[in-house]
Amino acid sequence: MQDVNGKTGIFGIIGHPVRHSLSPAMQNAALAACGLNYIYVPFDVHPDRLGIAVDGLRALGVSGFNVTIPHKTSIIPYLDVLDESAEAAGAVNTVRSENGLLTGFNTDGDGLLSSLADDLDFVPGSGTIILVGAGGAGRGALASLCRAGAERVVIVNRTFEKASELSGLLRQRFADTDIIPVGTAEEVRPFLKDTVLLVNTTSLGMNGEVIPFVALGDMRADAKIYDMVYAPAVTPLLRHASELGLSCVNGLGMLAGQGELAFKIWTGVQAPPGLMKRVLATICIV
Ligand code: ATR
């Protein structure tokens, strides 16, 4: 923990609830390692008080903050500027304050890309990516995968209409990616032989649920599996993928990756590589 003095700057995270957030631990570790005179604190902000809270953070000169559930979209009207990352994702997870001017960013999608590269040696390009889920996390992931050059993304979602709506929205922005919405395992099957990556963006697996949409056994032997869920560390999806010999990893690296990118936006400094992930690994219940 940093010594707090009259010059100490503040970063934080707003959410509701926020007590389970792992960001304070990893951000404070990085601030201390870099010798920066800041602290990072959690703020539990009820949805009814979001506007007042944002005004308060602005007035108090808080230098930047993360935004988590349930505020990622509802915060947008209270910000002054939106970065393209936040516009495309339709959500903000990082806010920078410069003399009270608040700019919203989204580092979740690029955190996913950095984890894909570091943990699975995967870079979007040719081949099909299957994205499970069409919620907020799915949209952020889709935007970053398209921006990074994915050739084709098949979105499979329980509610087909949401997959269809998301496809329509992002096709307008990323015309070079073939985005295909589907709603059933049968519709996914024809794409499996060309699938290089599957990403679970839903909460399925947090409580032992299996992913009903994809027959992993029909995938290519070199296909890779990314599960955004990180608690438990081994979800049924990851256990099954491992049994089949597929490369797979959980979402801890994405959590660290989005944090490293937020840290760089706020401080201009690169957090020590791997530090945030090591901190997370020591505190995560596996
Ligand atoms: P987030 O912002 O974390 O993505 P969300 O917007 O509520 O959260 O989206 C959750 C995603 O998980 C959705 O794609 C949801 O599917 P629906 O659009 O059909 O609701 C998916 N999801 C959640 N629980 C599910 C379940 N039991 N079976 C299948 N999909 C589920």
Side-chain angles (χ1 to χ4, degrees):
M1 180 62 76
Q2 298 285 80
D3 287 336
V4 175
N5 55 41
K7 294 180 185 164
T8 302
I10 299 174
F11 297 118
I13 178 165
I14 61 170
H16 184 72
V18 80
R19 60 190 304 153
H20 301 297
S21 173
L22 302 174
S23 293
M26 66 177 188
Q27 293 289 352
N28 281 311
L31 290 166
C34 294
L36 296 169
N37 188 10
Y38 287 89
I39 56 166
Y40 182 106
V41 290
F43 298 109
D44 192 321
V45 174
H46 189 276
D48 290 348
R49 303 182 71 80
L50 179 60
I52 302 170
V54 173
D55 281 347
L57 293 166
R58 197 196 303 264
L60 291 168
V62 167
S63 304
F65 53 95
N66 284 128
V67 183
T68 189
I69 292 166
H71 305 313
K72 284 188 176 189
T73 300
S74 49
I75 194 168
I76 289 175
Y78 301 107
L79 303 177
D80 302 303
V81 182
L82 269 197
D83 182 66
E84 195 274 336
S85 59
E87 262 181 35
V92 167
N93 81 322
T94 300
V95 176
R96 181 177 64 200
S97 177
E98 291 161 304
N99 302 317
L101 182 89
L102 302 182
T103 304
F105 299 82
N106 193 309
T107 67
D108 286 330
D110 285 355
L112 170 66
L113 292 183
S114 73
S115 182
L116 285 172
D118 293 348
D119 300 328
L120 284 180
D121 198 19
F122 179 89
V123 177
S126 60
T128 297
I129 296 171
I130 296 175
L131 204 64
V132 182
R139 178 169 167 174
L142 179 60
S144 282
L145 291 167
C146 292
R147 196 183 298 105
E151 179 190 21
R152 176 181 300 113
V153 180
V154 173
I155 308 169
V156 56
N157 196 48
R158 174 179 60 180
T159 310
F160 170 76
E161 292 71 24
K162 279 179 72 180
S164 178
E165 199 181 312
L166 179 57
S167 310
L169 210 59
L170 290 209
R171 268 186 205 138
Q172 293 170 13
R173 194 176 277 268
F174 300 104
D176 292 343
T177 304
D178 183 17
I179 306 174
I180 302 167
V182 300
T184 63
E186 287 67 42
E187 292 170 287
V188 172
R189 187 163 295 120
F191 296 103
L192 290 180
K193 63 179 185 333
D194 190 39
T195 293
V196 289
L197 174 73
L198 176 140
V199 182
N200 174 37
T201 74
T202 73
S203 54
L204 291 172
M206 282 183 183
N207 296 300
E209 309 94 327
V210 297
I211 307 274
F213 306 110
V214 183
L216 290 190
D218 293 342
M219 294 183 78
R220 292 157 45 139
D222 61 352
K224 298 176 177 183
I225 310 293
Y226 196 95
D227 198 339
M228 284 193 189
V229 175
Y230 54 81
V234 183
T235 59
L237 172 68
L238 295 179
R239 186 171 306 112
H240 191 195
S242 298
E243 285 164 3
L244 293 168
L246 302 174
S247 297
C248 59
V249 71
N250 71 23
L252 214 59
M254 176 177 168
L255 183 62
Q258 63 77 29
E260 288 177 358
L261 291 164
F263 188 92
K264 181 81 195 297
I265 286 169
W266 295 326
T267 66
V269 173
Q270 187 79 52
L275 173 66
M276 291 196 188
K277 194 165 177 201
R278 284 197 299 279
V279 171
L280 292 177
T282 60
I283 55 180
C284 265
I285 301 153
V286 293

